[in-house]
Amino acid sequence: AGSSYSVIGGGSGNTIQSLDDHSVIGGGINNSIQDGANLSVLGGGQHNIIGASAYASFIGGGIGNVIFGGASYAVIGGGTGNGIQANAYESAIGGGNGNTIGPRSVGSFIGSGIDNNIQLNNIYSVLVGGNENIIWTGAAFSFLGGGQFNNLQAGAINSVLSGGTYNTIQAGNSFIGSGQRNTISNNATYSVLAGGYQNSVVGSYATVPGGASNNAGGQFSFAAGANANATNNGAFVWSD
């Protein structure tokens, strides 16, 4: 009642609540567009919800996807159990399973994958896919490409983590390419760790190009090979 020019095309148990002018549910089962979500479209699927005041938002289909209240201009393409939380307007999730964009993470994007999470207040961040990757609160304007169990932690503003497994960035304006169990520590701003296994960067403006168990500890330091330890500022260590 009270919704002008809105349409439910078919299905069962679908509802468009009051004040949802010019909104559409195409079909499916038990889908809902809630109060004040004008100009929204829900294509089909099951148990999908566009929340109150999520103006001009879109869910294509899938099961149990939710755009929460106030997340206007948001998009969930499909998948299962994906959520764009309150006031994360202009954000999008392409699909996958159990992916979440947190409250007030405006303009952020998750492509697909399983149980990936962009936490609250991470504006304009991107997580392309993979499995159980996290962009933590305090890592706005960052990019996580894929892989699994990777973390852009608090302080990793403007950082890029392309992929791999169990990699972590704690510092801003830094880069990890791939590999496994690599870490850029919280003071290592403007650093690069290209890949490899169990490498670490501690100093700012430092580089580890790959290898295993290398540590670039000093500012402007470089450590490569295996078990290289560049602890002094400006040190260059290549070990085999």
Side-chain angles (χ1 to χ4, degrees):
S3 297
S4 300
Y5 307 106
S6 291
V7 175
I8 296 176
S12 174
N14 298 309
T15 58
I16 297 177
Q17 296 183 1
S18 62
L19 305 177
D20 289 330
D21 297 342
H22 304 279
S23 292
V24 175
I25 295 179
I29 301 172
N30 295 329
N31 299 301
S32 176
I33 298 177
Q34 297 184 349
D35 292 343
N38 300 331
L39 298 170
S40 292
V41 175
L42 203 163
Q46 301 179 41
H47 303 287
N48 299 303
I49 299 171
I50 296 177
S53 301
Y55 182 90
S57 290
F58 174 85
I59 295 177
I63 301 173
N65 298 304
V66 181
I67 296 174
F68 286 81
S72 297
Y73 306 103
V75 173
I76 297 178
T80 304
N82 299 303
I84 297 176
Q85 296 187 354
N87 300 311
Y89 56 87
E90 299 177 351
S91 292
I93 296 175
N97 179 19
N99 299 303
T100 302
I101 295 177
R104 300 181 300 279
S105 288
V106 174
S108 290
F109 174 81
I110 295 177
S112 187
I114 300 172
D115 294 331
N116 297 301
N117 189 355
I118 297 176
Q119 295 187 348
L120 78 163
N121 296 326
N122 280 324
I123 62 173
Y124 303 108
S125 293
V126 173
L127 200 164
V128 177
N131 178 23
E132 295 188 48
N133 299 302
I134 302 175
I135 299 177
W136 294 72
T137 298
F141 305 102
S142 57
F143 176 92
L144 203 162
Q148 57 183 351
F149 311 117
N150 295 306
N151 290 275
L152 286 166
Q153 294 186 354
I157 298 170
N158 296 321
S159 289
V160 174
L161 199 165
S162 296
T165 306
Y166 292 107
N167 296 307
T168 300
I169 298 178
Q170 300 170 341
N173 301 290
S174 293
F175 173 83
I176 290 179
S178 187
Q180 185 175 7
R181 299 186 185 279
N182 298 301
T183 302
I184 294 179
S185 297
N186 58 349
N187 292 320
T189 54
Y190 301 98
S191 294
V192 173
L193 200 163
Y197 176 73
Q198 212 163 20
N199 298 299
S200 60
V201 178
V202 178
S204 57
Y205 302 95
T207 301
V208 173
S213 301
N214 299 301
N215 174 45
Q219 292 185 12
F220 302 97
S221 61
F222 180 98
N227 300 302
N229 193 14
T231 57
N232 295 324
N233 293 341
F236 182 100
V237 179
W238 195 300
S239 174
D240 60 4

